[in-house]
């Protein structure tokens, strides 16, 4: 990796300087007893925990858990942008191997891998007597979980990975070929997660909140098997989590997107941020700055949210996602509802002009925006509920949740359908998520319609109706793909990988581009030159989110990011 090569080059230069300077007085032959080297540092439990903190710190990089994820979120069907904003290159699929998010994400993930490899390499040699209880195995298990997570992200973002299991010491060890996703899974990710699963506790004490657990390892292992279409193993791992009774859905879905109930009962793998404790400017990498320490701030809120003059439209809900939320029919018999017109998850995820409650302390209509084709803005992971405006330095303390129980429920539902066609069990877990959102469950629709439920992903505005379908493995799977996962998990970093692994990107883009064309051809009927009409109230123009993406998309080119140009230029053994 380039970062490793830089480290290697610096070490080489230092060695050359030492060997060629002042050798007559042997000054440099004297060992500084106060210096810290790899031979003196990696000895005690405290030292390994200090090193482990830097591995956790890599999770806070903005391309991994922070605001730079906006570029990946612009892919797929749930987020649009405008041509003058940087995410447009991803929305239109015109990014390249030199586009900075493509290179930054690669570099940041490999920094995390490098740090994890240090722990793993040195702890295997460490004296057991320097550790208390099970701490040695638990430290190694945490490092292996984090390495597995970083490699999962590399492999499923770039279509494979260059495997490093130790600290590269030679050019040959640095220059390695690209391995396939299957090879990365079998040689690194699955063994690391199995070790983590066998050695991590189910819970930690209050002083260790945020450390990864058995549940995180088991959930990620299930996800690895799900992506690999190994349905029996995926079912087994997810079932273990579901039946562990370690996690429960939060009564209020919004608790998963704010800083007010972090590390809650639903959280399985969560990355901590702080807007007050060494937050960086703006959201800088504090853990790489020797004079600072502590949790970094996220830039997610301003990447998705609002500035002082009104809604910030760098990233926007697509009309498809907005209409999905309007189709999320409130169940008046569900006690979670308290007079709300829209579902609980709509009110905590996006804000349309006819939304409910306050938005940054003002009535929604007073905040400005909702013009020039913008039908809604993003609420999730922004500070709309507690601040008058977002931090001017792009800093937010809202944690990012990589895995939570609702996601596991939906992955479990998907796995059981593909494993045994058991759509009844799948519906049970889908309906747990829907009930928490306060909306009608699939079972309620089926009870009312002779075993059928509506195809909620079809635009009523464009097509006039949503046909009823009989519950079956195929129809329930379509519901998971096109309705439940985008509604429940929008802007949580899963959507593009979902569409790619299902192989439905082209079909989705084609369908949504046809809806755009219909809206453009029927602008008068939609009254967009006035105040717009329900359900989207589009004004002034139809935003063309899929105009270029539908024609530019090529599975071979776009399902995964290209390996960054820097790697191609510096790695002589990279296999193109």
């Amino acid at each position: 990796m380039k970062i490793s090569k830089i480290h290697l080059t610096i070490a080489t230069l230092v060695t050359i300087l030492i060997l060629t300077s002042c050798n007559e007085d042997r000054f440099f032959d004297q060992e500084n007893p106060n210096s810290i080297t790899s031979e003196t540092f990696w000895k005690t439990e405290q030292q390994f925990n200090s090193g482990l903190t830097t591995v956790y710190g890599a999770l806070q990089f903005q391309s991994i858990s922070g605001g730079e994820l906006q570029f990946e979120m612009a892919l797929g069907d749930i987020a649009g942008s405008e041509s003058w904003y940087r995410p447009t290159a991803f929305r239109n699929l015109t990014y390249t191997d030199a586009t900075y998010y493509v290179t930054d994400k690669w570099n940041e993930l490999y920094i995390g891998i490098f740090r994890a490899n240090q722990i793993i390499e040195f702890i295997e040699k460490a004296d057991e007597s320097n550790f208390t209880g099970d701490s040695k195995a638990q430290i190694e298990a945490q490092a292996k979980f984090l390495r597995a997570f970083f490699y999962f992200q590399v492999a499923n973002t770039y279509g494979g990975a260059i495997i490093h299991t130790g600290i590269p010491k030679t050019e040959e060890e640095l220059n390695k070929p690209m391995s396939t996703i299957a090879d990365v899974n079998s040689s690194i990710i699955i063994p690391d997660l199995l070790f983590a699963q066998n050695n991590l506790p189910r819970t930690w004490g209050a002083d260790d909140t945020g450390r990864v657990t058995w549940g995180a390892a088991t959930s990620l292992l299930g996800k690895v098997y799900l992506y690999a279409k190994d349905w029996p193993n995926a079912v087994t791992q997810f079932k273990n989590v579901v039946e562990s009774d370690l996690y429960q859905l939060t009564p209020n879905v919004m608790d998963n997107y704010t800083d007010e109930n972090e590390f809650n009962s639903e959280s399985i793998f969560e990355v901590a941020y702080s807007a007050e404790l060494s937050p960086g400017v703006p959201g800088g990498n504090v853990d790489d700055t020797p004079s600072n320490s502590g949790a970094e701030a996220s830039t997610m809120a301003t990447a998705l949210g609002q500035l002082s003059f009104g809604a910030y439209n760098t990233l926007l809900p697509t009309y498809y996602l907005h209409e999905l939320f309007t189709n999320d029919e409130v169940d008046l018999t569900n006690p979670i509802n308290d007079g709300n017109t829209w579902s609980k998850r709509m009110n905590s995820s996006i804000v349309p002009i006819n939304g409910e409650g306050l938005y940054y302390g003002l009535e929604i209509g007073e905040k400005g925006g909702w013009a020039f084709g913008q039908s809604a803005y993003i609420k999730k992971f922004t500070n709309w509920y507690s601040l008058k405006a977002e931090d001017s330095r792009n800093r937010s303390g809202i944690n990012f949740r990589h895995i939570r129980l609702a996601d596991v429920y939906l992955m479990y539902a998907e796995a059981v359908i593909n494993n045994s066609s058991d759509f009844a069990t799948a519906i049970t877990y889908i309906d747990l998520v829907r009930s928490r959102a306060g909306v009608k469950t699939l079972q309620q629709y089926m009870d009312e319609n002779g075993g059928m439920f509506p195809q909620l992903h079809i635009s009523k505005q464009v097509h006039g109706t949503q046909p009823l379908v009989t519950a079956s493995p195929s129809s329930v799977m379509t519901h998971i793909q096109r309705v439940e996962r985008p509604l429940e998990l929008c802007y949580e970093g899963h959507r593009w990988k979902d569409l790619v692994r299902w192989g439905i990107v082209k079909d989705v883009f084609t369908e949504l581009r046809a809806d755009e064309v219909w809206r453009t051809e029927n602008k008068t009927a939609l009254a967009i030159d006035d105040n717009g009409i329900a359900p989207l109230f589009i004004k002034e123009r139809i935003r063309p989110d899929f105009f270029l993406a539908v024609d530019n998309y090529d599975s071979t080119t776009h399902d995964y990011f290209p390996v960054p140009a820097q790697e191609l230029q510096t790695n002589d053994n990279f296999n193109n």
Side-chain angles (χ1 to χ4, degrees):
M1 286 322 0
K2 186 164 187 179
I3 186 68
S4 301
K5 290 185 179 183
I6 291 171
H7 291 165
L8 181 64
T9 302
I10 292 172
T12 303
L13 288 173
V14 170
T15 302
I16 292 170
L17 286 170
I18 289 173
L19 292 175
T20 58
S21 302
C22 306
N23 57 6
E24 61 271 7
D25 59 14
R26 314 292 292 173
F27 177 79
F28 287 108
D29 286 346
Q30 304 303 309
E31 183 174 318
N32 180 356
N34 298 313
S35 66
I36 298 175
T37 67
S38 59
E39 287 75 23
T40 62
F41 180 76
W42 300 106
K43 301 293 183 183
T44 68
E45 180 179 335
Q46 181 180 1
Q47 288 170 334
F48 276 100
N49 269 317
S50 295
L52 188 61
T53 298
T54 72
V55 191
Y56 279 101
L59 292 170
Q60 296 175 324
F61 288 142
Q62 300 303 316
S63 297
I64 297 176
S65 309
E68 298 302 280
L69 284 174
Q70 65 177 297
F71 299 103
E72 214 163 326
M73 293 175 187
L75 300 165
D77 55 359
I78 62 173
S81 188
E82 294 288 10
S83 60
W84 49 89
Y85 289 121
R86 290 180 298 173
T88 304
F90 294 84
R91 171 66 279 154
N92 294 337
L93 302 176
T94 56
Y95 58 85
T96 71
D97 61 4
T99 301
Y100 88 94
Y101 178 73
V102 173
T103 61
D104 281 6
K105 190 177 184 76
W106 175 277
N107 289 339
E108 291 175 4
L109 288 167
Y110 271 103
I111 289 172
I113 290 167
F114 175 81
R115 293 177 182 181
N117 279 339
Q118 284 186 301
I119 303 287
I120 296 164
E121 180 171 320
F122 286 107
I123 204 166
E124 291 174 352
K125 309 169 188 175
D127 189 336
E128 194 86 38
S129 65
N130 291 331
F131 297 82
T132 59
D134 298 326
S135 63
K136 183 179 179 183
Q138 289 178 347
I139 290 170
E140 184 176 356
Q142 291 171 80
K144 285 189 170 179
F145 170 88
L146 294 169
R147 182 171 70 173
F149 171 77
F150 293 133
Y151 267 119
F152 177 86
Q153 292 295 323
V154 175
N156 290 284
T157 302
Y158 297 90
I162 296 172
I163 296 176
H164 295 290
T165 57
I167 304 169
K169 300 174 181 65
T170 66
E171 285 290 330
E172 184 179 0
E173 291 175 348
L174 285 166
N175 292 338
K176 298 178 70 174
M178 190 81 161
S179 296
T180 65
I181 295 175
D183 286 342
V184 179
N185 284 344
S186 62
S187 62
I188 295 286
I189 297 176
I190 292 174
D192 276 2
L193 291 175
L194 288 171
F195 183 91
Q197 189 181 51
N198 290 328
N199 290 280
L200 287 173
R202 296 201 165 206
T203 59
W204 293 92
D207 291 341
D208 290 306
T209 298
R211 290 183 186 266
V212 294
T213 61
W214 169 89
T218 305
S219 298
L220 184 55
L221 185 58
K223 188 172 183 177
V224 171
Y225 288 133
L226 185 78
Y227 275 43
K229 296 180 170 56
D230 183 347
W231 312 122
N233 275 322
V235 168
T236 296
Q237 300 303 326
F238 292 137
K239 188 175 183 180
N240 287 340
V241 176
V242 167
E243 295 184 350
S244 70
D245 293 326
L246 291 170
Y247 309 100
Q248 294 83 38
L249 296 179
T250 60
N252 182 0
V253 66
M254 198 172 109
D255 283 340
N256 296 300
Y257 321 134
T258 75
D259 65 351
E260 294 182 344
N261 190 12
E262 296 176 327
F263 297 110
N264 58 47
S265 64
E266 188 169 339
S267 177
I268 297 176
F269 178 37
E270 180 170 335
V271 176
Y273 286 106
S274 172
E276 299 172 354
L277 178 62
S278 298
V281 184
N285 295 327
V286 173
D287 73 340
D288 283 342
T289 306
S291 60
N292 289 296
S293 63
E296 297 175 17
S298 173
T299 58
M300 182 71 78
T302 48
L304 303 182
Q306 178 267 356
L307 293 180
S308 58
F309 58 83
Y312 191 39
N313 56 357
T314 300
L315 214 62
L316 296 153
T318 57
Y319 301 143
Y320 163 69
L321 182 66
H322 183 175
E323 196 168 2
L324 274 184
F325 275 115
T326 67
N327 294 336
D328 227 8
E329 185 179 355
V330 172
D331 174 15
L332 298 178
T333 68
N334 188 332
I336 198 172
N337 293 307
D338 53 5
N340 46 292
T341 300
W342 304 117
S343 72
K344 293 293 184 177
R345 61 183 171 187
M346 176 175 180
N347 286 336
S348 60
S349 300
I350 69 168
V351 53
I353 195 169
N354 61 336
E356 298 172 285
L358 299 180
Y359 182 52
Y360 290 100
L362 295 174
E363 295 292 336
I364 289 173
E366 297 178 26
K367 199 60 191 173
W370 293 280
F372 200 55
Q374 324 307 15
S375 72
Y377 296 95
I378 299 172
K379 276 185 172 179
K380 189 178 283 191
F381 293 124
T382 71
N383 291 282
W384 64 272
Y385 56 93
S386 61
L387 300 179
K388 298 293 184 182
E390 293 296 345
D391 184 283
S392 61
R393 290 181 169 179
N394 298 348
R395 299 175 300 190
S396 171
I398 300 174
N399 291 358
F400 189 78
R401 287 74 163 176
H402 279 286
I403 306 175
R404 57 187 178 91
L405 185 60
D407 183 15
V408 170
Y409 279 171
L410 296 179
M411 290 191 290
Y412 181 47
E414 177 183 343
V416 297
I417 287 176
N418 284 286
N419 186 54
S420 60
S421 299
D422 183 4
F423 65 88
T425 295
I427 288 173
T428 297
Y429 286 93
I430 292 168
D431 282 351
L432 287 173
V433 176
R434 292 186 65 81
S435 181
R436 191 267 298 275
V439 300
K440 291 182 70 171
T441 64
L442 293 187
Q443 190 61 55
Q444 284 176 294
Y445 281 123
M446 291 161 59
D447 291 344
E448 295 169 358
N449 297 284
M452 297 189 291
F453 61 87
Q455 293 183 291
L456 297 169
H457 65 284
I458 293 177
S459 170
K460 286 193 289 188
Q461 183 179 65
V462 174
H463 301 281
T465 185
Q466 293 174 320
L468 294 169
V469 291
T470 301
S472 69
S474 176
S475 64
V476 175
M477 185 64 199
T478 297
H479 177 87
I480 292 171
Q481 293 174 334
R482 300 300 308 279
V483 180
E484 218 57 51
R485 285 189 68 82
L487 279 174
E488 182 67 23
L489 301 168
C490 60
Y491 314 120
E492 296 185 41
H494 309 295
R495 189 58 179 165
W496 181 249
K497 291 179 176 65
D498 278 348
L499 294 175
V500 166
R501 67 187 178 86
W502 293 325
I504 63 174
V505 176
K506 186 67 173 181
D507 291 342
V508 168
F509 280 4
T510 300
E511 176 185 317
L512 298 185
R513 176 56 188 160
D515 287 354
E516 280 181 359
V517 170
W518 183 90
R519 289 187 171 105
T520 301
E521 293 174 348
N522 290 271
K523 290 188 294 185
T524 301
L526 297 177
I528 69 167
D529 290 324
D530 190 7
N531 290 319
I533 61 172
L536 304 184
F537 299 99
I538 305 169
K539 299 179 184 179
E540 298 181 19
R541 55 61 118 150
I542 302 299
R543 195 178 66 241
D545 288 332
F546 301 96
F547 173 64
L548 293 176
V550 68
D551 291 328
N552 288 344
Y553 173 73
D554 173 73
S555 177
T556 303
T557 303
H558 297 112
D559 283 354
Y560 304 103
F561 285 169
V563 173
Q566 64 189 33
E567 185 67 34
L568 303 178
Q569 293 164 2
T570 59
N571 185 343
D572 297 332
N573 289 328
F574 184 83
N575 48 320
N576 292 300

